[in-house]
Amino acid sequence: MIDFNGQVAIVTGGSGGIGQAVVEGLARYGARVLVGYHHNEAAATDVVAAVQSSGREAAALAIDVREPDSGNVLVATAIERWGKLDILINCAGIADYGPLSEMSSERWRQTIQTNLTGIYHTCRAALRPMMQQRYGRIVNLAALYGTSGFPGQADFAAAAGGVIGLTRALAREAAPWQITVNAVAPGMIETDLIEVIPSEIQQWSAGIIALRRLGKPEEVAAAVLFLASPVASYITGQTLMVDGGWTMA
């Protein structure tokens, strides 16, 4: 049974579709949650209000995960407010669409900085308090494209592949302290990120998915919550595909 009572979690990208679903799920099972967001203050405020209205604890913090000190600020804020840190969920991410031949170096840099380097910043900061208490759960959002590739999103695919590699390496490093590190790799999910993909490509994708539909944020959140929970104590270094059967490994 999933139970986060007494635990403290940080969720980056907590104002986005998947991030919101993760925040609400963590709180539903008892966690106190720090919601990291970048631009969408209104959405972050709404998800915090929804958690608080259910009798649970949550707070929001504006943060840019691309900044080197962002992870330290998030971790310090959570510990100052609730005394510890048990769970880190990295959901922050951006996406665009267009062939590599037309991709600007700035777009490439921003995607890698947000989707990959941002995870480095937060993971590095979270490790020390988790190591001190000899317990922790880190779940990083990657993407199906990190293993399969996808036309028009070479930067997104490269970052996701990097997240998978980082997750595996860190899982080996952190294991002696009973810290597990896993990744969840969504396929085509109904969030703002797929709005950059042309509708005909979305329709084509839905047609080759075994379940013949796009996924929902709550379906990704369910996988994240499992891996973040105490019941997943013997799972680390894994990448769980949540793609409706697009890939089958």
Side-chain angles (χ1 to χ4, degrees):
M1 177 180 177
I2 294 178
D3 183 358
F4 296 119
N5 278 297
Q7 297 198 356
V8 174
I10 291 173
V11 180
T12 69
S15 62
I18 293 173
Q20 286 189 37
V22 170
V23 169
E24 291 169 354
L26 286 165
R28 184 183 314 118
Y29 291 109
R32 292 163 287 180
V33 188
L34 180 61
V35 180
Y37 71 95
H38 190 201
H39 293 303
N40 200 340
E41 181 179 4
T45 300
D46 286 347
V47 72
V48 167
V51 168
Q52 292 174 340
S53 68
S54 69
R56 303 296 188 177
E57 295 182 58
L61 180 68
I63 203 80
D64 184 349
V65 296
R66 296 171 299 182
E67 295 297 325
D69 202 40
S70 58
N72 294 327
V73 172
L74 281 163
V75 171
T77 301
I79 292 175
E80 180 180 357
R81 189 177 186 98
W82 291 305
K84 62 173 186 168
L85 175 65
D86 303 288
I87 300 165
L88 170 65
I89 313 294
N90 285 300
C91 295
I94 59 174
D96 206 339
Y97 186 84
L100 185 67
S101 60
E102 300 173 9
M103 187 182 300
S104 69
S105 58
E106 178 62 13
R107 171 185 152 184
W108 175 273
R109 187 182 71 83
Q110 292 291 348
T111 302
I112 299 297
Q113 284 289 105
T114 303
N115 298 15
L116 177 57
T117 307
I119 291 179
Y120 153 72
H121 291 151
T122 55
C123 285
R124 183 181 61 174
L127 280 174
R128 187 169 298 277
M130 289 182 176
M131 290 167 73
Q132 289 173 344
Q133 67 186 10
R134 300 190 68 82
Y135 179 87
R137 295 285 186 268
I138 297 174
V139 184
N140 300 320
L141 264 290
L144 163 68
Y145 311 151
T147 59
S148 69
F150 195 76
Q153 293 193 309
D155 51 344
F156 191 78
V163 171
I164 292 170
L166 183 156
T167 297
R168 291 172 176 166
L170 184 54
R172 293 189 181 277
E173 292 183 14
W177 289 271
Q178 302 305 306
I179 300 166
T180 66
V181 188
N182 291 288
V184 170
M188 295 288 283
I189 309 298
E190 294 175 350
T191 69
D192 291 345
L193 288 186
I194 69 164
E195 291 181 2
V196 301
I197 299 175
S199 59
E200 62 271 21
I201 301 297
Q202 293 186 41
Q203 292 170 7
W204 169 80
S205 299
I208 65 170
I209 293 169
L211 292 178
R212 295 295 188 270
R213 64 175 177 85
L214 305 187
K216 300 181 184 303
E218 312 85 71
E219 293 173 313
V220 180
V224 172
L225 295 176
F226 167 67
L227 291 172
S229 74
V231 300
S233 57
Y234 202 57
I235 301 173
T236 195
Q238 302 304 308
T239 300
L240 178 54
M241 299 290 183
V242 184
D243 62 6
W246 184 319
T247 58
M248 297 188 186

